[in-house]
Amino acid sequence: MREVFNFSAGPSMLPEEVLREVQADILSYGGSNMSVMEMSHRSKLYEEINAEAESLLRELMGISDNYDVIFVQGGASTQFEAVPLNLLKSGKADYIVTGNFAEKAYKEAQKFGDIAAAASSKDKNFTYIPKTDKNSFRNGIDYIHLTTNNTIFGSHTTMNNVPEADAPIVADASSNILGEVIDVNKFGVIYAGAQKNIGPAGVTVVIVRKDLQDKALPICPTMLKWSTQIKEKSLYNTPPCFSTYVAMLVFRWLKKLGGVGTIQKINELKARTLYDLIDNSSFYTNKTNPADRSIMNVPFQTPTPEFDAKFIEEAGKVGLKTLKGHRLVGGMRASIYNAVPLEGVQKLADFMKKFALQNK
Ligand SMILES: *Cc1c(COP(=O)(O)O)cnc(C)c1O
């Protein structure tokens, strides 16, 4: 066992079991005497990895045949551009702005059409998820964009809060994909960078409903067009082979553990452990509206920036790493994705209690 628990927001902890498999395969994958890093993406061995990654993800998320799944490069941020380029057929879309990444997506889309913020929680530094209904959106829009988990501010859009609307909903699920159950059928498109809950940085998952694959703008570059990769099963050009291979191992690991429903229960317990401690303490605070709190990212503060700095330093010394909060929020942030074990969260909770007692 490694001696450290890593609470990084991304790239983040990977399951130790997966890292050991990677280590065992590093010089020779599948008896080939080649690493996956050295292998042709047209080889049979890699085609099997590519196909298994897709089928496992479909199984884990319950993705029907009505959707295609592709593994592409460029991170979630590239999809901020790809989304409007692939969908803005009539030139209008509405965004729900619930955090820093949501705002980046919203601003990027403005380069390509008539883009409006249907709702925003910027007025209160993104500490809540604004309520929306059918009337929150304009008529004739191509899509609605939302972020299912706000990594920096520690809030999430639960499945009950996904608006009922006529337009297809596009979701950035980078930081809670596979961490909690997402009802894929509520969405037209779901995308996620891998480095939080899926695997190493470098691969991005895009799930696209069949009826949304012919709406690209004429200027959409070939490499950003989803249908380019859909037609070629993600092998139009050289894919991020190694990242996809590790993602496949993570999917196997998650399936063996019982799937997304099982890990969601563990994640809820991890999150509750921290939120209960914070709520019952006069030393720690979390500013997010309780009903909207993320189960993946838990930001919290001590009474002063000096205590925050001391907390981060002392936590690091006992193996609780990467707890510094994002500069937009300050304080600390514990990212407790799938690969962060419950015992790591318990160790953090014990440390928090001790630190509060010693510094009151
Ligand atoms: C991390 C993150 C991103 C940015 O992802 P990149 O892969 O670095 O481009 C976008 N959206 C959300 C919700 C994220 O958590």
Side-chain angles (χ1 to χ4, degrees), residues 98-99 121 126-129 147-157 175-176 275 288-289 292-295 297 299:
T98 52
S121 50
F126 300 122
T127 46
Y128 68 103
I129 302 292
T147 310
T148 51
N149 186 78
N150 300 287
T151 321
I152 294 173
F153 299 91
S155 66
H156 73 162
T157 307
S175 54
N176 68 341
Y275 289 125
T288 310
N289 178 30
D292 301 324
R293 282 169 167 177
S294 166
I295 62 167
N297 312 94

Side-chain angles (χ1 to χ4, degrees), residues 74-78 80 101 147 149 151 172 174-175 193 195-196:
S77 302
T78 300
F80 297 167
F101 290 116
T147 310
N149 186 78
T151 321
D172 175 359
S174 293
S175 54
Q195 66 275 21
K196 282 128 191 182

Side-chain angles (χ1 to χ4, degrees), residues 30 132 149 177 189 227 247 249 337 354:
T132 50
N149 186 78
I177 191 167
V189 178
S227 59
L249 295 179
Y337 301 120
K354 214 171 88 192

Side-chain angles (χ1 to χ4, degrees), residues 105-298:
Y106 167 59
K107 288 197 172 140
E108 205 57 40
Q110 284 170 349
K111 296 176 182 167
F112 304 104
D114 171 8
I115 308 296
S120 167
S121 50
K122 200 176 183 177
D123 58 338
K124 292 187 180 159
N125 199 30
F126 300 122
T127 46
Y128 68 103
I129 302 292
K131 294 274 173 283
T132 50
D133 59 33
K134 259 191 153 101
N135 302 322
S136 311
F137 307 101
R138 298 177 296 170
N139 288 325
I141 51 174
D142 291 307
Y143 65 91
I144 294 162
H145 182 280
L146 58 79
T147 310
T148 51
N149 186 78
N150 300 287
T151 321
I152 294 173
F153 299 91
S155 66
H156 73 162
T157 307
T158 61
M159 284 305 113
N160 298 334
N161 265 341
V162 175
E164 301 276 339
D166 297 329
I169 298 174
V170 177
D172 175 359
S174 293
S175 54
N176 68 341
I177 191 167
L178 299 180
E180 55 190 311
V181 174
I182 291 175
D183 181 356
V184 176
N185 293 320
K186 289 193 172 199
F187 300 94
V189 178
I190 298 171
Y191 64 92
Q195 66 275 21
K196 282 128 191 182
N197 246 341
I198 292 180
V203 62
T204 308
V205 169
V206 189
I207 303 163
V208 191
R209 210 168 65 200
K210 299 265 190 213
D211 64 311
L212 299 173
Q213 297 175 9
D214 61 353
K215 305 196 180 299
L217 297 181
I219 58 156
C220 182
T222 307
M223 276 299 292
L224 292 186
K225 208 180 210 172
W226 297 324
S227 59
T228 304
Q229 294 289 10
I230 289 168
K231 279 191 205 112
E232 303 293 333
K233 294 248 157 233
S234 308
L235 299 173
Y236 170 77
N237 70 319
T238 315
C241 302
F242 194 74
S243 297
T244 304
Y245 149 73
V246 181
M248 178 200 75
L249 295 179
V250 172
F251 299 158
R252 279 187 191 162
W253 168 82
L254 184 53
K255 183 180 167 181
K256 205 168 84 185
L257 217 86
V260 181
T262 303
I263 202 103
Q264 176 171 345
K265 291 207 179 75
I266 300 169
N267 289 336
E268 283 167 350
L269 178 59
K270 280 151 52 181
R272 209 177 325 125
T273 302
L274 297 181
Y275 289 125
D276 282 353
L277 189 157
I278 293 163
D279 291 344
N280 291 322
S281 140
S282 52
F283 191 75
Y284 299 107
T285 47
N286 165 280
K287 299 192 173 94
T288 310
N289 178 30
D292 301 324
R293 282 169 167 177
S294 166
I295 62 167
M296 299 276 109
N297 312 94
V298 181

Side-chain angles (χ1 to χ4, degrees), residues 307-318 320-321 351:
F307 277 141
D308 290 344
K310 190 175 174 203
F311 182 102
I312 292 156
E313 195 194 322
E314 290 185 8
K317 284 188 190 147
V318 296
L320 301 165
K321 298 287 186 188
F351 176 83

